[in-house]
């Protein structure tokens, strides 16, 4: 057991610095055979560096599958022995940390539902004191970088040296095609703040559905993430958790083949140019601005329905004046020119009136 541990830790150092680092495995460990078979098939792709599997699954509501618990830990040990893949599990309590370490789990990760709670993160951090194990920290469910940064600091203060970040998207307002909106600009800000940490993208929990995975994987690689964590299952549709987003190891292999890997060569000016990265951010921000504008129009339409019921005019000069004054004052603080914001507000107002007029004319909100 001891020799095995030393071997796997030595190879872990190499794995930690491999680019791109590919983590895969089922959302949840379900049965010994499922863990074993998934590990073997992932190993056979030759592309996977680390095997993930959830043993303890934090679920929003009780009564759903909450993971097999510690009895799954030996399954992972066996999968590691059989394939040589280091293994990682999610931990949310001190007891889970102790149990995972007692079973020589190579890497731990803190899930999005834990990162939101500083008490839980501190409990995990305290259990990590004096231990040498790599820890990956997912972003919190809500788009709050301070919570994410706080979790990193707690784990750092516990003395953990190998820390990584996992970007798995955020719960947000409005509708997006994603289960968790990527909000790439937040991920990029975090990457810039903690530039020495490993930075992994988790397309599975961003997408929530397998048909979107490839695009998000490519975007993450284009944004210079260090690696990807993608959920895989030997029989995805039958998975006990997150069935819609999992893919077979063979599908994963095919998706990884399709990715355009940017050159790691520092002479490759295109990929490494700051301009390229900034343009990606601009595209993403434009997309988010558009979504916000669409959402704003939807709210205006809801207001129009009330106005219609109560026979009130669309144009209410007093209210618009108030919006203008407030926005212009805020724009000045944000160093946006008065001229630009005035034009923007005029255009916004006209569009909003158009949407409201449609409602008053009896056209249903789209
Ligand atoms: C998971 O990785 O299976 C998981 C529960 O993810 P998250 O914490 O991102 O929801
Ligand atoms: Mn999952």
């Amino acid at each position: 057991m001891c020799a095995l541990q030393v071997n796997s830790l030595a190879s872990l150092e190499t794995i930690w610095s491999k680019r791109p680092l590919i983590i895969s495995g089922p959302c949840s460990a379900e049965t010994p055979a499922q863990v074993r078979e998934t590990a073997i098939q992932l190993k056979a792709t030759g592309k996977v560096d680390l095997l993930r599997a959830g043993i303890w699954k934090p679920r929003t509501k009780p009564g759903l599958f909450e993971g097999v618990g510690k009895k799954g830990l030996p399954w992972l040990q066996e999968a590691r022995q059989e394939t040589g893949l280091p293994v990682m599990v999610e931990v949310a309590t001190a007891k889970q940390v102790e149990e995972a370490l007692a079973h020589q789990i190579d890497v731990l990760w803190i899930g999005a539902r834990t990162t939101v709670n500083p008490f839980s993160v501190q409990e995990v951090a305290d259990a990590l004191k004096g231990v040498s194990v790599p820890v990956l920290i997912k972003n919190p469910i809500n788009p709050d970088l301070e919570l994410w940064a706080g979790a990193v600091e707690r784990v750092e203060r516990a003395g953990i040296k190998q820390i990584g970040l996992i970007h798995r998207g955020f719960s947000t307002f409005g509708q997006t095609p994603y289960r968790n909106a990527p909000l790439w600009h937040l991920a990029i800000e975090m990457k810039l703040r903690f530039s020495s940490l490993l930075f992994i993208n988790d397309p599975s929990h961003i997408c929530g559905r397998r048909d979107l995975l490839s695009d998000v994987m490519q975007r993450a690689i284009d944004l210079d993430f260090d690696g990807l964590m993608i959920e895989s299952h030997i029989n995805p549709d039958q998975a006990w958790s997150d069935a819609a987003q999992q893919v077979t190891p063979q599908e994963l292999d095919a998706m990884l083949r399709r990715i355009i890997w940017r050159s790691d060569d520092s002479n490759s000016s295109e990929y490494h140019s700051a301009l390229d990265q900034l343009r990606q951010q601009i595209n993403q921000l434009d997309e988010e601005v558009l979504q916000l504008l669409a959402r704003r129009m939807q709210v205006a339409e809801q207001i129009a329905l009330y106005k219609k019921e109560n026979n009130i005019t669309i144009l209410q000069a007093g209210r618009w004046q108030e919006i203008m004054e407030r926005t212009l004052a805020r724009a000045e603080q944000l160093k946006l020119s008065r001229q630009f914001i005035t034009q923007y507000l005029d255009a916004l107002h006209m569009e909003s009136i158009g949407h409201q007029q449609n409602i008053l004319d009896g056209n249903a909100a789209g």
Side-chain angles (χ1 to χ4, degrees), residues 16 20 43 63 109 117 182 223 267-268 270 284 292 303 349 363:
W16 199 254
K43 177 71 183 181
W109 91 82
N117 184 343
L223 287 173
N267 294 328
S268 156
E270 191 201 354
Q284 199 53 40
L292 281 172
I303 291 176
H349 197 204
N363 304 328

Side-chain angles (χ1 to χ4, degrees), residues 57-61 90 92 110-118 120-121 138-142 168 171 179-180 205 242:
K57 302 298 297 179
R59 305 308 294 265
T60 307
K61 290 192 176 156
E90 173 177 348
I110 295 176
R113 287 163 194 75
T114 305
T115 310
V116 286
N117 184 343
S120 299
V121 175
K138 287 205 177 194
N139 67 257
I141 292 179
N142 51 326
R168 50 78 80 195
S171 284
R179 176 177 175 191
N180 292 294
H205 292 88
D242 288 352

Side-chain angles (χ1 to χ4, degrees), residues 26-28 52 57 138 179 204-205 231 241-242 245-246:
C27 178
S28 301
R52 62 147 281 157
K57 302 298 297 179
K138 287 205 177 194
R179 176 177 175 191
S204 303
H205 292 88
E231 288 186 340
S241 59
D242 288 352
Q245 70 197 31
Q246 301 202 61

